[in-house]
Amino acid sequence: MSMPTQALLLLSGGLDSATCLAIARARGFEVHALTIAYGQRHEVELRCAAEVARALGAASHTTVALDLRAIGGSSLTSDLPVPMGEGTENAAFQGGAIPSTYVPARNTIFLSLALGQAEVLGISDLFIGVNAVDYSGYPDCRPEFVSAFEALARVATRAGVEGRPFTIHAPLMQLSKAEIIRAGAALGVDYSLTHSCYSPLQINPGPSDAWAACGRCDSCRLRREGFAAAGVPDPTRYA
């Protein structure tokens, strides 16, 4: 009996990466999940990532701390305010501006760490849940970025130059948020385990603390509208 092919997947704890994990598992991959604790203000997603990894049967789950607050430049890693209001980020992007929730070089850094771990583990397939349809205009969520990084991996690693190239899988790239949710629901993803809000509010502080999504940031808007369009009940607790 042949062993399943292994894959390395970036897992944030959000809706998209959870769906990406379910898709990778459905394709027959044994998935090793990697989560980056990068100093994000919505660090509750780190707890969600661990729960999603367990629920969806990841073979392993590693968390790496790399505090991007030292760089700043984003409302997710500095004191800049998170944009609030209906469609604020997409409105800004339509006007040619990249929103303040863009974290400088985040996916380049994350994929570099994933590439390093994959090379150590002898893994050639990497999964990332980036999306170029329902998103906020981040430059590192586009097909051009994924293709360029895949080319980089061929020349920047021992595996690549020895003829063992890497493949970067981005199965959500051309899906709407509703299509992503439908795909995940069909694969049994429990979206109540995931977190998307950029500015969550803590309720019931203490050992049994819980968090509520703000309901006002662009990530909450995309999530809420996605569930509505998919015809799937939204399990999110909104403030």
Side-chain angles (χ1 to χ4, degrees):
M1 183 176 179
S2 61
M3 296 294 290
T5 303
Q6 297 186 99
L8 197 291
L9 177 140
L10 283 165
L11 181 65
S12 69
L15 183 157
D16 291 343
S17 67
T19 306
C20 195
L21 173 52
I23 289 172
R25 293 275 288 131
R27 291 182 181 179
F29 286 96
E30 179 181 87
V31 180
H32 297 268
L34 174 64
T35 297
I36 314 298
Y38 64 94
Q40 61 268 54
R41 69 165 67 218
H42 52 305
E43 62 179 16
V44 64
E45 72 175 3
L46 301 175
R47 182 191 310 171
C48 294
E51 294 176 355
V52 167
R54 284 193 297 270
L56 294 180
S60 70
H61 180 220
T62 302
T63 299
V64 172
L66 180 66
D67 197 345
L68 296 184
R69 289 177 297 184
I71 297 174
S74 167
S75 55
L76 302 188
T77 57
S78 72
D79 292 332
L80 294 171
V82 173
M84 296 291 181
E86 195 70 18
T88 51
E89 289 193 354
N90 277 343
F93 178 59
Q94 292 301 320
I98 303 297
S100 68
T101 51
Y102 163 68
V103 179
R106 177 173 57 183
N107 284 341
T108 303
I109 295 167
F110 286 8
L111 271 177
S112 296
L113 292 171
L115 183 63
Q117 186 181 23
E119 189 169 29
V120 169
L121 295 176
I123 293 173
S124 299
D125 293 274
L126 282 71
F127 278 78
I128 183 170
V130 291
N131 175 263
V133 180
D134 283 342
Y135 78 131
S136 299
Y138 302 154
D140 54 0
C141 287
R142 299 173 301 152
E144 300 94 319
F145 166 74
V146 173
S147 296
F149 194 92
E150 193 172 76
L152 170 69
R154 286 197 295 269
V155 299
T157 61
R158 180 170 63 185
V161 299
E162 290 179 350
R164 292 174 283 119
F166 295 89
T167 300
I168 312 297
H169 302 266
L172 312 185
M173 182 64 76
Q174 301 300 336
L175 301 182
S176 69
K177 191 66 73 178
E179 289 170 329
I180 292 169
I181 291 169
R182 289 194 198 103
L187 293 171
V189 176
D190 181 356
Y191 286 118
S192 70
L193 301 179
T194 67
H195 177 86
S196 301
C197 180
Y198 290 149
S199 188
L201 305 174
Q202 188 177 24
I203 56 178
N204 300 328
S208 60
D209 68 334
W211 294 81
C214 74
R216 298 176 58 230
C217 69
D218 212 50
S219 185
C220 280
R221 181 187 65 82
L222 289 171
R223 181 179 174 113
R224 185 174 58 245
E225 292 178 356
F227 276 106
V232 175
D234 184 357
T236 309
R237 176 186 291 179
Y238 294 104

